[in-house]
């Protein structure tokens, strides 16, 4: 904590760089930055700075270095692991003013964007030329491409098109000491170490991405989007494994269970038979002539696994309505409980039925209802724990249930996170997956980028002793 006089001096200098009104330090203003999408982790920053352009980011970072103040990059704060929080205090550097699409190169199939560009804005702009930015997190209408890079974000269409790292060619990075470097390149084979690959998924701990060169993907000629209704989540989960093992690769394969379905049906006015206890949204895309056979393949696998009905969206309006419901589905959980915590874990696809059974059992044992809606094709589960944040017993129960679910997934050969990152939430749980030697190598890589440790401290690594309560470490 800086003495008041030095703090005032710092604010004045920062305003000199980014302009008056673009530094927030009044306590009420800072409330909006004390958490991200994981709302029960809270840590208020000392100030929030809004640079507009790489040069301003450089000057800000150098000034913060000179007073040894830690800083944390932030996009739109939709992260779900507390990655943009400041558990050790310090500054948030918000990228939201840097939201220009600098170039769409249709012939080169790529685009150059500032880090604060909203994901869907780029896809909307590229769609006019028949292209899209393939990573499509359900938060696409609000999250930034810088945040996507930092978290290596995924989405429903990851099953066929891959994660963010498959779509980023290069990026301009302001290093933690203020140096500016470009990582990656616009060819497929860059010599030397793959530093771009290393940076993607580094959760804002290696520096600040300011410009990003992304690959654009041609929009498919045609789609078939199916809604398959099942009597139980395990029937639906078995169909998922069978569809993939049959050799059909849907663009997306999403599942919603019976707990979540009640809220989704009410919120989006879906008409489903009463006995529907789980649904799959299956999207097939590609050349029109090839799709009908695949539709029949998916339909017969679903029916063989007990589907009540499999129907196709009859036109683009119906297809969009279905995706709107899926992508906004998390919001509908507000109908079920005052708070929810979305876990993000992975199991091998074939073990989804067993994993779901055990998740329900864990929830029951801790007195927590758990709704599931997730990227089933990737085995990426999102158990949403429904609770009341005002009850400390319920918060404790959620923390315990989360730990058990993560351990179970690792024991099944899966992971403690599929797309939301480690952040502050899962620091302790890193040891479920990695030995001390492996974590030590990661620490050395972090130190190679960030020698002073000022860039987004308190994230990713277990903090011996201080975070024994795991998930609550941001409150230290
Ligand atoms: C309803 C909902 C649905 C979601 N669905 C998905 C989904 O389907 N798939 C998925 O992957 N995620 C999903 N998310 C999580 C989240 O939207 C993504 O992780 C997204 O990439 C975060 O972007 P952001 O701009 O909000 O980043 P923030 O939350 O602001 O930051 C996230 C991390 O990125 C770092 N960071 C941000 N900008 C930069 C930058 N320019 N340079 C370096 N580091 C930076 C931060 O320090 C932090 O560690 C969902 C979230 C919500 C609330």
């Amino acid at each position: 904590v800086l003495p008041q006089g030095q703090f005032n001096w710092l604010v004045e200098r920062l305003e000199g760089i980014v302009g008056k009104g673009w530094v927030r330090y009044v306590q009420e203003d800072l409330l909006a930055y004390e958490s991200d999408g994981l709302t029960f982790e809270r840590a208020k920053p000392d100030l929030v700075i809004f640079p507009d352009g790489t040069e301003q980011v450089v000057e800000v970072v150098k000034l913060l270095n000179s007073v040894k103040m830690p800083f944390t990059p932030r996009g739109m704060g939709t992260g779900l692991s507390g990655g943009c929080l400041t558990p050790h205090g310090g500054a948030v550097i918000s990228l939201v003013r840097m939201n220009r699409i600098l170039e769409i190169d249709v012939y080169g199939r790529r685009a150059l964007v500032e880090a604060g560009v909203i994901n869907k804005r780029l896809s909307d702009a590229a769609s006019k030329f028949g292209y899209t930015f393939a990573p499509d997190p359900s938060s696409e209408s609000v999250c930034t491409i810088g945040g996507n890079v930092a978290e290596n974000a995924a989405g429903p269409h990851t099953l066929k098109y891959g994660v963010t790292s498959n779509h980023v060619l290069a990026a301009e990075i302001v290093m933690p000491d203020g140096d500016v470097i470009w990582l990656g390149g616009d060819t497929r084979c860059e010599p030397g170490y793959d530093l771009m690959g290393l940076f993607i998924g580094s959760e804002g701990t290696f520096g600040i991405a300011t410009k990003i060169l992304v690959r654009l993907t041609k929009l498919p000629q045609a789609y078939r989007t199916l809604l398959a209704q099942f009597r139980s989540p395990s029937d639906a989960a078995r169909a998922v494994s069978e569809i993939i093992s049959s050799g059909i690769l849907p663009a997306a394969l999403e599942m919603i269970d019976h707990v979540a379905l009640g809220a989704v049906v009410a919120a989006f006015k879906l008409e489903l038979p009463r006995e529907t206890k789980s649904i799959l949204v299956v999207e097939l895309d590609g050349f029109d002539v090839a799709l009908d056979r695949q539709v029949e393949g998916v339909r017969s696998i679903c029916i063989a696994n007990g589907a009540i009905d499999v129907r196709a969206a009859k036109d683009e309006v119906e297809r969009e309505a279905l995706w709107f419901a899926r992508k906004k589905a998390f919001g509908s959980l507000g109908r079920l409980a005052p708070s929810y915590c979305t876990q993000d874990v992975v199991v091998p696809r074939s073990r989804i039925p067993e994993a779901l059974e055990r998740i329900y059992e864990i929830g029951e044992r801790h007195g927590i209802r758990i709704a599931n809606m997730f990227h089933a094709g990737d085995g990426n589960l999102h158990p949403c724990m429904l609770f009341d944040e005002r009850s400390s017993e319920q918060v404790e129960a959620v923390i315990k249930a989360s730990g058990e679910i993560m351990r179970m997934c690792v024991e099944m050969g899966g992971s403690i996170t599929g797309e939301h990152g480690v952040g502050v939430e899962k620091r302790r749980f890193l040891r479920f997956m990695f030995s001390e030697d492996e974590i030590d190598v990661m620490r050395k890589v972090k130190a190679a980028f960030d020698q002073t440790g000022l860039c987004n401290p308190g994230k990713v690594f277990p903090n011996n002793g201080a975070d024994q309560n795991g998930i609550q470490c941001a409150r230290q």
Side-chain angles (χ1 to χ4, degrees):
V1 179
L2 295 178
Q4 193 59 46
Q6 202 182 356
F7 185 80
N8 294 345
W9 169 86
L10 179 66
V11 169
E12 213 169 283
R13 290 285 309 276
L14 287 166
E15 284 181 336
I17 298 169
V18 297
K20 254 199 155 13
W22 293 109
V23 181
R24 306 263 159 82
Y25 49 88
V26 175
Q27 290 305 308
E28 301 82 73
D29 289 350
L30 298 176
L31 278 175
Y33 300 90
E34 69 172 5
S35 72
D36 62 3
L38 176 81
T39 52
F40 63 56
E41 290 288 354
R42 296 208 174 142
K44 216 167 3 150
D46 296 312
L47 34 80
V48 184
I49 308 152
F50 298 84
D52 187 13
T54 306
E55 295 70 24
Q56 292 189 5
V57 176
V58 169
E59 281 191 67
V60 165
V61 165
K62 285 190 172 161
L63 183 57
L64 295 174
N65 265 282
S66 73
V67 294
K68 297 194 170 41
M69 180 178 271
F71 50 89
T72 295
R74 181 174 174 122
M76 283 296 278
T78 67
L80 289 166
S81 57
C84 60
L85 269 58
T86 51
H88 298 280
V92 161
I93 300 182
S94 166
L95 279 298
V96 293
R97 270 175 95 191
M98 295 171 56
N99 59 5
R100 300 167 194 94
I101 298 175
L102 300 171
E103 188 186 1
I104 293 187
D105 170 7
V106 177
Y107 293 109
R109 296 188 171 201
R110 56 198 193 162
L112 181 65
V113 299
E114 288 187 320
V117 166
I118 300 292
N119 173 304
K120 192 166 182 305
R121 232 190 95 215
L122 175 61
S123 284
D124 287 347
S127 71
K128 294 182 189 121
F129 307 99
Y131 288 85
T132 186
F133 177 53
D136 65 333
S138 301
S139 52
E140 64 187 355
S141 56
V142 272
C143 65
T144 66
I145 294 181
N148 297 164
V149 169
E151 297 291 357
N152 196 12
H157 291 82
T158 287
L159 178 60
K160 182 169 176 181
Y161 293 98
V163 292
T164 299
S165 63
N166 301 110
H167 301 275
V168 171
L169 294 163
E172 178 190 71
I173 309 296
V174 176
M175 296 290 284
D177 62 1
D179 283 351
V180 180
I181 59 170
W182 272 90
L183 301 178
D186 55 5
T187 60
R188 193 172 59 90
C189 299
E190 289 293 311
Y193 296 122
D194 179 9
L195 297 182
M196 186 71 256
L198 201 55
F199 188 90
I200 298 171
S202 60
E203 302 193 28
T205 63
F206 286 4
I208 304 176
T210 40
K211 293 191 188 97
I212 302 159
L213 182 69
V214 300
R215 181 175 281 135
L216 296 178
T217 302
K218 187 100 184 87
L219 283 166
Q221 187 192 60
Y223 301 95
R224 301 286 187 280
T225 307
L226 308 176
L227 178 68
Q229 301 151 33
F230 294 84
R231 287 189 186 81
S232 77
S234 38
D235 286 353
R238 272 198 312 277
V240 169
S241 284
E242 234 180 273
I243 291 168
I244 305 283
S245 63
S246 76
I248 298 171
L249 181 59
L253 186 37
E254 299 283 301
M255 183 170 158
I256 299 183
D257 79 352
H258 56 298
V259 185
L261 203 56
V264 174
V265 165
F268 300 99
K269 314 223 174 333
L270 298 180
E271 281 174 24
L272 297 175
R274 283 173 68 88
E275 65 267 37
T276 304
K277 297 290 181 235
S278 182
I279 58 168
L280 287 183
V281 177
V282 189
E283 182 152 281
L284 300 155
D285 69 6
F287 290 111
D288 199 38
V289 287
L291 293 183
D292 287 338
R293 248 177 92 180
Q294 292 182 42
V295 167
E296 279 325 301
V298 169
R299 192 189 302 275
S300 56
I301 291 169
C302 289
I303 299 288
N305 281 284
I308 306 161
D309 186 28
V310 184
R311 65 182 195 224
K314 62 178 183 306
D315 52 27
E316 188 54 27
V317 176
E318 214 173 277
R319 170 177 178 260
E320 273 182 13
L322 212 49
W323 276 118
F324 183 80
R326 168 59 191 98
K327 292 200 168 178
K328 304 282 178 201
F330 283 116
S332 67
L333 295 179
R335 289 168 184 258
L336 303 179
S339 325
Y340 73 89
C341 167
T342 308
Q343 260 308 329
D344 164 45
V345 284
V346 185
V347 293
R349 199 167 32 230
S350 58
R351 301 194 70 175
I352 295 176
E354 181 191 350
L356 281 178
E357 286 310 318
R358 287 183 55 191
I359 286 169
Y360 297 132
E361 180 273 314
I362 290 169
E364 222 162 88
R365 196 154 27 78
H366 290 285
I368 297 287
R369 271 181 95 197
I370 302 184
N372 291 275
M373 39 191 159
F374 56 98
H375 313 309
D378 300 310
N380 183 192
L381 308 178
H382 288 327
C384 304
M385 281 165 263
L386 307 166
F387 68 111
D388 187 338
E389 206 172 294
R390 293 163 296 188
S391 151
S392 54
E393 291 85 39
Q394 288 192 34
V395 171
E396 282 309 312
V398 167
I399 291 167
K400 284 193 181 128
S402 294
E404 284 183 33
I405 290 171
M406 279 186 259
R407 189 176 280 288
M408 171 201 81
C409 293
V410 173
E411 282 167 3
M412 285 185 173
S415 168
I416 58 167
T417 168
E419 54 184 21
H420 297 169
V422 178
V424 288
E425 182 203 6
K426 296 189 172 175
R427 296 200 300 170
R428 182 166 65 108
F429 303 110
L430 210 64
R431 292 201 171 99
F432 286 1
M433 293 189 69
F434 299 107
S435 68
E436 287 307 322
D437 286 347
E438 289 161 341
I439 293 174
D440 198 41
V441 172
M442 291 188 212
R443 283 189 204 277
K444 286 177 180 150
V445 176
K446 155 82 171 155
F449 277 84
D450 178 22
Q451 282 160 18
T452 57
L454 288 177
C455 184
N456 206 5
K459 307 292 162 60
V460 181
F461 297 106
N463 179 9
N464 300 330
D467 62 348
Q468 284 309 300
N469 287 328
I471 230 162
Q472 294 184 90
C473 56
R475 300 205 186 108
Q476 66 197 323

mmCIF file of all heavy atoms in Angstrom, residues 233-249:
data_model
loop_
_atom_site.group_PDB
_atom_site.id
_atom_site.type_symbol
_atom_site.label_atom_id
_atom_site.label_comp_id
_atom_site.label_asym_id
_atom_site.label_seq_id
_atom_site.Cartn_x
_atom_site.Cartn_y
_atom_site.Cartn_z
ATOM 1 N N PRO A 233 -30.506 -38.092 -18.250
ATOM 2 C CA PRO A 233 -29.192 -37.592 -18.660
ATOM 3 C C PRO A 233 -28.261 -38.725 -19.076
ATOM 4 O O PRO A 233 -27.461 -38.564 -19.995
ATOM 5 C CB PRO A 233 -28.654 -36.894 -17.400
ATOM 6 C CG PRO A 233 -29.861 -36.562 -16.593
ATOM 7 C CD PRO A 233 -30.868 -37.639 -16.883
ATOM 8 N N SER A 234 -28.377 -39.912 -18.424
ATOM 9 C CA SER A 234 -27.410 -40.961 -18.813
ATOM 10 C C SER A 234 -27.703 -41.490 -20.208
ATOM 11 O O SER A 234 -26.777 -41.839 -20.950
ATOM 12 C CB SER A 234 -27.317 -42.084 -17.769
ATOM 13 O OG SER A 234 -28.562 -42.364 -17.248
ATOM 14 N N ASP A 235 -28.977 -41.541 -20.626
ATOM 15 C CA ASP A 235 -29.282 -41.929 -22.020
ATOM 16 C C ASP A 235 -28.618 -40.939 -22.987
ATOM 17 O O ASP A 235 -27.982 -41.333 -23.967
ATOM 18 C CB ASP A 235 -30.799 -41.893 -22.285
ATOM 19 C CG ASP A 235 -31.517 -43.074 -21.632
ATOM 20 O OD1 ASP A 235 -30.817 -43.961 -21.097
ATOM 21 O OD2 ASP A 235 -32.771 -43.091 -21.649
ATOM 22 N N ALA A 236 -28.778 -39.644 -22.675
ATOM 23 C CA ALA A 236 -28.207 -38.615 -23.564
ATOM 24 C C ALA A 236 -26.689 -38.743 -23.600
ATOM 25 O O ALA A 236 -26.070 -38.660 -24.670
ATOM 26 C CB ALA A 236 -28.608 -37.225 -23.073
ATOM 27 N N ALA A 237 -26.082 -38.970 -22.431
ATOM 28 C CA ALA A 237 -24.615 -39.048 -22.360
ATOM 29 C C ALA A 237 -24.096 -40.254 -23.143
ATOM 30 O O ALA A 237 -23.046 -40.170 -23.795
ATOM 31 C CB ALA A 237 -24.168 -39.117 -20.903
ATOM 32 N N ARG A 238 -24.832 -41.374 -23.097
ATOM 33 C CA ARG A 238 -24.393 -42.553 -23.867
ATOM 34 C C ARG A 238 -24.451 -42.259 -25.366
ATOM 35 O O ARG A 238 -23.570 -42.649 -26.132
ATOM 36 C CB ARG A 238 -25.263 -43.771 -23.528
ATOM 37 C CG ARG A 238 -24.740 -44.571 -22.326
ATOM 38 C CD ARG A 238 -25.346 -45.959 -22.290
ATOM 39 N NE ARG A 238 -26.788 -45.932 -22.475
ATOM 40 C CZ ARG A 238 -27.658 -45.687 -21.489
ATOM 41 N NH1 ARG A 238 -27.223 -45.476 -20.270
ATOM 42 N NH2 ARG A 238 -28.954 -45.674 -21.735
ATOM 43 N N ALA A 239 -25.485 -41.523 -25.769
ATOM 44 C CA ALA A 239 -25.604 -41.175 -27.197
ATOM 45 C C ALA A 239 -24.414 -40.321 -27.657
ATOM 46 O O ALA A 239 -23.912 -40.483 -28.771
ATOM 47 C CB ALA A 239 -26.917 -40.435 -27.446
ATOM 48 N N VAL A 240 -23.937 -39.442 -26.767
ATOM 49 C CA VAL A 240 -22.795 -38.571 -27.110
ATOM 50 C C VAL A 240 -21.596 -39.421 -27.517
ATOM 51 O O VAL A 240 -20.996 -39.226 -28.585
ATOM 52 C CB VAL A 240 -22.425 -37.671 -25.894
ATOM 53 C CG1 VAL A 240 -21.089 -36.967 -26.122
ATOM 54 C CG2 VAL A 240 -23.525 -36.645 -25.641
ATOM 55 N N SER A 241 -21.232 -40.384 -26.651
ATOM 56 C CA SER A 241 -20.054 -41.228 -26.950
ATOM 57 C C SER A 241 -20.253 -41.989 -28.251
ATOM 58 O O SER A 241 -19.325 -42.124 -29.060
ATOM 59 C CB SER A 241 -19.842 -42.257 -25.842
ATOM 60 O OG SER A 241 -19.294 -41.637 -24.748
ATOM 61 N N GLU A 242 -21.484 -42.482 -28.446
ATOM 62 C CA GLU A 242 -21.723 -43.302 -29.640
ATOM 63 C C GLU A 242 -21.664 -42.488 -30.923
ATOM 64 O O GLU A 242 -21.182 -42.969 -31.953
ATOM 65 C CB GLU A 242 -23.077 -44.013 -29.512
ATOM 66 C CG GLU A 242 -22.910 -45.503 -29.711
ATOM 67 C CD GLU A 242 -24.229 -46.226 -29.594
ATOM 68 O OE1 GLU A 242 -24.592 -46.588 -28.453
ATOM 69 O OE2 GLU A 242 -24.892 -46.395 -30.634
ATOM 70 N N ILE A 243 -22.155 -41.248 -30.855
ATOM 71 C CA ILE A 243 -22.110 -40.393 -32.063
ATOM 72 C C ILE A 243 -20.663 -40.202 -32.491
ATOM 73 O O ILE A 243 -20.306 -40.386 -33.654
ATOM 74 C CB ILE A 243 -22.788 -39.021 -31.799
ATOM 75 C CG1 ILE A 243 -24.295 -39.197 -31.626
ATOM 76 C CG2 ILE A 243 -22.487 -38.037 -32.929
ATOM 77 C CD1 ILE A 243 -25.026 -37.976 -31.079
ATOM 78 N N ILE A 244 -19.805 -39.854 -31.532
ATOM 79 C CA ILE A 244 -18.399 -39.586 -31.891
ATOM 80 C C ILE A 244 -17.716 -40.874 -32.361
ATOM 81 O O ILE A 244 -16.996 -40.882 -33.363
ATOM 82 C CB ILE A 244 -17.613 -38.994 -30.696
ATOM 83 C CG1 ILE A 244 -18.311 -37.741 -30.165
ATOM 84 C CG2 ILE A 244 -16.166 -38.701 -31.100
ATOM 85 C CD1 ILE A 244 -18.130 -36.488 -30.958
ATOM 86 N N SER A 245 -17.982 -41.984 -31.640
ATOM 87 C CA SER A 245 -17.259 -43.205 -32.032
ATOM 88 C C SER A 245 -17.769 -43.750 -33.375
ATOM 89 O O SER A 245 -17.092 -44.538 -34.017
ATOM 90 C CB SER A 245 -17.326 -44.265 -30.936
ATOM 91 O OG SER A 245 -18.651 -44.655 -30.746
ATOM 92 N N SER A 246 -18.942 -43.286 -33.823
ATOM 93 C CA SER A 246 -19.430 -43.741 -35.133
ATOM 94 C C SER A 246 -18.672 -43.070 -36.285
ATOM 95 O O SER A 246 -18.845 -43.418 -37.441
ATOM 96 C CB SER A 246 -20.932 -43.418 -35.276
ATOM 97 O OG SER A 246 -21.083 -42.028 -35.526
ATOM 98 N N GLY A 247 -17.835 -42.062 -35.949
ATOM 99 C CA GLY A 247 -17.065 -41.387 -36.995
ATOM 100 C C GLY A 247 -17.694 -40.072 -37.428
ATOM 101 O O GLY A 247 -17.096 -39.322 -38.196
ATOM 102 N N ILE A 248 -18.885 -39.757 -36.916
ATOM 103 C CA ILE A 248 -19.493 -38.461 -37.244
ATOM 104 C C ILE A 248 -18.855 -37.417 -36.317
ATOM 105 O O ILE A 248 -18.750 -37.640 -35.108
ATOM 106 C CB ILE A 248 -21.027 -38.489 -36.998
ATOM 107 C CG1 ILE A 248 -21.672 -39.522 -37.917
ATOM 108 C CG2 ILE A 248 -21.642 -37.110 -37.198
ATOM 109 C CD1 ILE A 248 -23.143 -39.782 -37.611
ATOM 110 N N LEU A 249 -18.409 -36.294 -36.890
ATOM 111 C CA LEU A 249 -17.865 -35.232 -36.037
ATOM 112 C C LEU A 249 -18.766 -34.007 -36.125
ATOM 113 O O LEU A 249 -18.644 -33.187 -37.040
ATOM 114 C CB LEU A 249 -16.428 -34.862 -36.467
ATOM 115 C CG LEU A 249 -15.778 -33.766 -35.616
ATOM 116 C CD1 LEU A 249 -15.694 -34.165 -34.149
ATOM 117 C CD2 LEU A 249 -14.408 -33.402 -36.158
#
